[in-house]
Amino acid sequence: MSAPVLFSRGRLIDPRHGVDGVRDVLVRDGQVAQVSEAPLTVQGAQVVDARGRWVLPGFIDLHVHLREPGEEGKETILTGSRSAVAGGFTGVVAMPNTKLVNDSALVTELVLSRARAANLCRVYPAGAITKGLKGEELAEMGELISAGCVCITDDGRPVMNAALMRRALQYATLFDIPVMVHEEDLTLSGKGAMTEGPTATRLGLLPIPPSAEVAMVARDLILLEETRGRLHIAHLSCEGSVRLVREAKKRGLRVTAEVTPHHFTIDDTAVGQYDTHAKMNPPLRLRRDVESLREALADGTIDAIATDHAPHGVLDKQVEFEKGINGVVGLETALGLTLALVHEGVLSPSRAVELLSAGPAKAFGLPGGHLAPGAPADVVLVDPEAEWAVDAERFFSKSRNTPFHGRLLKGRVTQTWVGGRLVFEDGQIKESRS
Amino acid sequence: MRHLLGIEGWRREELETLLDRAEAHLPGGSARSPVLQGKVVANLFFEDSTRTRTSFEMAAKTLGAEVLNWTAQGSSVSKGETLLDTARNIEATGPAAIVIRHRSSGAPHLVAQHVRCAVINAGDGTHEHPSQALLDAFTLRRHWGKLEGRTVLIIGDILHSRVARSNLLCLKALGARVVMCGPPTLLPVGLEEMGAEVTTKLDAALPEADAVMCLRLQLERQTESFFPSTREFSRLFGLTPARAERMKAGALVMHPGPINRGVELAPAVADGARSVILEQVANGVAVRRAILEVCT
Ligand SMILES: [Zn+2]
């Protein structure tokens, strides 16, 4: 057994337990052993001087694309795990739309074994709702869950068939797992390339109306009410959806929702002159949508900040805008962009941390997300004053597709611990391949 | 060297200067001819357009340039070559300008970021068609002297029209008032932010217009249900002889061509006394010579 670790005199922010103050946190055998207001002295402990640092529960990203198996040129479970821990994420949920779709235990086991080999963050596979993501027949949900999947989703695609979606929600109640949905009515989004609005009109890009998302959110909330299942809405992007989720929660439906840093930070004008780095699905929305997402993050309507980390190669982006592949990488910029909301007074530090840790843990019933005794010792140390400029060339991710290259951010991860083991420190990954 | 990626980004004085130059390029004008002697102009047409391509070709040749015509048909594009590969290969032949027509909005912008010669947009997707807007403005200016205080009514499929966008920007920059009219399904949101007035009531808008510009209606929009039928479209938004009666005395009729006769424009109106459609075509070469001159 390794020596106990004592995080000494840092500002512990643990929203789940209402803690925000200077504490000593003692970690033993991969778990939090003690949290103390008074300074602790522990024989033989490795002391981490956390003065001036925030000590936070490790972040959990409910929505990442690790691209393995199938598109290892864009990312692998190893490089994605490095990117995660560099961004303070100790757990990530890996989407099933890989080039061998995760719709069977075989693929789930492959993902889990690669994650074990990488041995950095916790990787939670998500299984497909439908076989091959084709939207036609349910995948074997029971098999997927017993192999280790934590939710099911056809992310990247909606389940257009309402009857099938209804059955997915019903059937999933057997396992009490969330059904995660990418809300898009394809007949409404059509050939659209960006959100409807003045920028699309100016650029002559066919518009995607907000109803493409909102109508599907409405449909699925109606199905949820009938089925009494669990619904998790991925990458919520517009005002209308926020309103529906807020209202559904008030009525006690089991719905959770996530918002990405890009959707709460930039609006459609970021497309500028056809910048494919600002091309994603759902598309960047209008300023008023951004404002409504920020409100929803603050007031509890939104449960989690998730990155929708979507690595792509240069050639996928260096093309005509309409042809450009959707998506941005997000793991290494998420904290800085979230803290920008704190600096702007939109979120309290505690609420920001909750959205990155306790919120996602609760939404999916995952371990972690808090630092009380007995919790896994997934710990992030953040220097809240560190100012830095995003440099895509220095990402640990294999891909560089970000609209935030060059952006100045304040607040940076200095250490990441997973299960009591230091995996990232001051810009360096601490590999220990198993 | 400068690019003409759209009317967007050009200031009023620059547009005026360009139109003044075009004046000199009209038959009997004062322009020196072979200013592009020994240079190459590459026509890169990923989408058919005999009209625009021929007009640019004539403009380049009469300035003394050699013209390299490249079309997507039967080319390496069908074998998966990307737009940038094609553009870089063309650039390697050392042209003074690349004239590009492409189905995707923004394609010329992408090319311009990766080549060193001038890039001239000959129509990109549903974005802009600046040379068309310049020749339209030029045609109007020849009739009116200046555009200040005049009202131009643009009718039809604004959503999918690069001609409409470029004309809006160009006419506004030159001081005209622009009204856009069409079925609500073909009016994108945010036209007002670009400076247009928007209406769906053609009969009310017609008497105010000093010029009416009908856009070409792509007939496949009917199958996409942007409107129920071409018959209904022409009943509600077609410039029929009866409607033309209600126009101001001396008001002009324009069309970027090719016309769907009897759909957006009745034959009698297209060929009537108000029509300046053939002047538009004739002015096209002079305007494009001015563009090549200013950009190279
Ligand atoms: Zn996704």
Side-chain angles (χ1 to χ4, degrees):
Chain A
M1 272 294 103
S2 53
V5 182
L6 178 63
F7 297 93
S8 155
R9 299 293 90 193
R11 175 178 169 185
L12 175 67
I13 305 177
D14 181 355
R16 183 164 142 196
H17 302 288
V19 177
D20 182 354
V22 173
R23 298 285 189 281
D24 276 15
V25 177
L26 179 68
V27 159
R28 215 192 279 277
D29 301 334
Q31 291 191 338
V32 176
Q34 195 183 347
V35 175
S36 162
E37 280 199 64
L40 296 174
T41 25
V42 180
Q43 276 295 320
Q46 175 193 350
V47 177
V48 177
D49 180 0
R51 278 173 301 180
R53 300 281 188 263
W54 290 3
V55 178
L56 311 176
F59 309 150
I60 296 168
D61 192 339
L62 296 180
H63 192 158
V64 304
H65 297 270
L66 297 179
R67 303 295 183 217
E68 187 177 1
E71 289 182 296
E72 291 82 357
K74 295 183 175 189
E75 196 80 286
T76 62
I77 289 168
L78 175 63
T79 60
S81 300
R82 286 181 184 148
S83 185
V85 297
F89 289 92
T90 54
V92 298
V93 178
M95 294 297 109
N97 65 337
T98 36
K99 280 291 152 72
L100 242 187
V101 171
N102 187 6
D103 58 2
S104 70
L106 206 65
V107 181
T108 307
E109 281 156 14
L110 173 84
V111 170
L112 286 170
S113 84
R114 290 289 157 90
R116 265 193 308 275
N119 198 22
L120 288 166
C121 63
R122 302 173 198 271
V123 175
Y124 303 107
I129 298 174
T130 65
K131 289 178 188 153
L133 305 178
K134 290 204 178 89
E136 292 162 3
E137 299 168 78
L138 290 183
E140 288 184 35
M141 216 182 285
E143 171 179 306
L144 289 165
I145 304 302
S146 39
C149 286
V150 297
C151 79
I152 55 161
T153 178
D154 275 4
D155 179 61
R157 303 180 54 81
V159 179
M160 281 296 285
N161 181 327
L164 188 63
M165 183 63 202
R166 189 173 185 278
R167 290 188 191 116
L169 281 164
Q170 277 180 324
Y171 193 74
T173 58
L174 266 179
F175 315 101
D176 196 35
I177 47 132
V179 181
M180 174 170 170
V181 279
H182 167 116
E183 301 290 40
E184 178 185 3
D185 183 323
L186 298 171
T187 67
L188 285 168
S189 53
K191 294 187 195 123
M194 70 175 293
T195 204
E196 183 170 65
T199 307
T201 297
R202 176 175 67 83
L203 295 175
L205 291 169
L206 286 183
I208 300 172
S211 55
E213 174 177 308
V214 184
M216 285 297 261
V217 170
R219 182 200 77 172
D220 287 345
L221 289 172
I222 289 166
L223 297 175
L224 178 68
E225 184 158 24
E226 278 182 359
T227 56
R228 293 280 140 192
R230 279 172 71 183
L231 183 72
H232 177 77
I233 304 178
H235 44 51
L236 211 67
S237 72
C238 48
E239 196 182 14
S241 315
V242 164
R243 213 181 307 129
L244 289 173
V245 170
R246 189 177 283 139
E247 193 255 353
K249 283 193 159 178
K250 253 186 218 141
R251 287 191 296 127
L253 299 187
R254 295 179 82 192
V255 58
T256 52
E258 66 185 38
V259 169
T260 73
H262 45 273
H263 286 111
F264 69 64
T265 304
I266 49 181
D267 61 24
D268 62 330
T269 60
V271 174
Q273 293 291 354
Y274 305 98
D275 183 359
T276 50
H277 283 126
K279 191 174 187 220
M280 57 266 308
N281 188 11
L284 294 173
R285 302 288 187 185
L286 306 183
R287 186 38 53 179
R288 68 161 182 273
D289 296 302
V290 175
E291 293 306 327
S292 77
L293 296 177
R294 290 170 168 220
E295 262 170 51
L297 286 163
D299 73 12
T301 303
I302 304 299
D303 301 271
I305 288 170
T307 66
D308 193 3
H309 180 80
H312 289 298
V314 178
L315 293 180
D316 297 310
K317 290 288 187 182
Q318 229 178 50
V319 290
E320 300 89 307
F321 192 86
E322 292 158 3
K323 276 197 194 163
I325 294 192
N326 290 309
V328 307
V329 291
L331 289 164
E332 293 166 67
T333 48
L335 172 70
L337 294 168
T338 303
L339 290 182
L341 296 186
V342 174
H343 302 312
E344 289 172 44
V346 177
L347 303 178
S348 66
S350 173
R351 177 65 186 149
V353 173
E354 182 175 24
L355 284 159
L356 288 166
S357 60
K362 184 168 173 229
F364 275 30
L366 301 173
H370 68 120
L371 289 174
D378 295 355
V379 184
V380 178
L381 261 59
V382 166
D383 178 351
E385 299 303 323
E387 296 190 28
W388 59 291
V390 176
D391 181 355
E393 291 310 314
R394 300 182 62 184
F395 282 164
F396 288 95
S397 168
K398 245 187 198 186
S399 293
R400 271 101 195 78
N401 50 308
T402 174
F404 299 114
H405 180 68
R407 181 172 283 242
L408 292 173
L409 296 175
K410 191 173 164 199
R412 193 165 201 177
V413 173
T414 58
Q415 289 187 355
T416 305
W417 297 69
V418 176
R421 181 168 67 89
L422 181 64
V423 292
F424 175 81
E425 183 178 26
D426 295 330
Q428 303 285 328
I429 305 288
K430 307 281 173 192
E431 308 263 3
S432 104
R433 308 283 288 279
S434 62
Chain B
M1 186 217 76
R2 100 171 266 191
H3 303 304
L4 177 65
L5 301 177
I7 299 296
E8 194 188 359
W10 283 61
R11 292 197 317 274
R12 178 175 188 156
E13 315 81 80
E14 295 168 331
L15 295 171
E16 300 269 16
T17 308
L18 197 146
L19 296 182
D20 292 341
R21 286 233 199 182
E23 209 64 58
H25 280 292
L26 284 176
S30 60
R32 276 191 317 120
S33 272
V35 294
L36 291 186
Q37 197 73 57
K39 297 194 172 168
V40 173
V41 171
N43 270 339
L44 211 63
F45 276 58
F46 290 84
E47 190 183 78
D48 294 340
S49 166
T50 317
R51 195 179 283 242
T52 305
R53 191 175 50 76
T54 313
S55 180
F56 267 111
E57 187 170 351
M58 277 176 65
K61 281 188 171 152
T62 53
L63 289 175
E66 279 201 57
V67 177
L68 191 130
N69 271 319
W70 181 99
T71 52
Q73 275 134 344
S75 75
S76 39
V77 168
S78 42
K79 296 178 196 117
E81 190 175 77
T82 66
L83 170 60
L84 281 186
D85 290 339
T86 308
R88 286 185 181 122
N89 282 324
I90 296 288
E91 193 203 9
T93 66
I98 291 178
V99 178
I100 176 171
R101 155 80 60 116
H102 199 282
R103 313 182 182 283
S104 289
S105 301
H109 300 69
L110 179 66
V111 170
Q113 281 163 23
H114 293 92
V115 299
R116 285 176 301 273
C117 62
V119 174
I120 295 166
N121 182 358
D124 63 325
T126 53
H127 175 230
E128 281 218 47
H129 193 349
S131 63
Q132 177 73 40
L134 285 162
L135 74 86
D136 289 341
F138 182 74
T139 305
L140 292 173
R141 210 176 70 151
R142 288 188 59 82
H143 278 268
W144 298 338
K146 61 187 178 58
L147 273 61
E148 211 87 55
R150 300 284 189 164
T151 296
V152 179
L153 174 64
I154 304 179
I155 310 172
D157 181 356
I158 313 289
L159 174 64
H160 298 98
S161 176
R162 52 194 174 212
V163 174
R165 278 173 186 73
S166 279
N167 262 294
L168 171 58
L169 295 168
C170 190
L171 296 169
K172 287 295 290 184
L174 298 172
R177 177 178 164 237
V178 177
V179 181
M180 295 189 147
C181 180
T185 47
L186 292 172
L187 292 170
V189 304
L191 286 171
E192 291 87 350
E193 276 95 330
M194 290 178 76
E197 292 166 48
V198 181
T199 179
T200 52
K201 302 201 168 39
L202 178 56
D203 290 318
L206 264 181
E208 288 180 25
D210 297 294
V212 173
M213 188 180 289
C214 299
L215 300 172
R216 179 177 166 78
L217 188 72
Q218 281 170 297
L219 301 178
E220 66 268 26
R221 303 297 173 209
Q222 184 192 320
T223 54
E224 299 168 72
S225 278
F226 282 100
F227 51 88
S229 69
T230 49
R231 178 165 165 267
E232 173 145 323
F233 181 89
S234 67
R235 203 169 61 80
L236 295 174
F237 297 100
L239 195 56
T240 57
R243 281 214 173 90
E245 286 293 299
R246 291 215 293 282
M247 290 169 61
K248 266 187 198 172
L252 306 174
V253 170
M254 312 180 86
H255 194 293
I259 303 169
N260 295 301
R261 287 181 173 260
V263 181
E264 65 265 5
L265 196 50
V269 182
D271 305 329
R274 297 170 177 283
S275 170
V276 294
I277 294 170
L278 292 177
E279 285 173 44
Q280 289 175 269
V281 178
N283 290 336
V285 176
V287 169
R288 288 177 175 120
R289 290 175 81 180
I291 291 170
L292 287 169
E293 229 183 13
V294 169
C295 290
T296 54

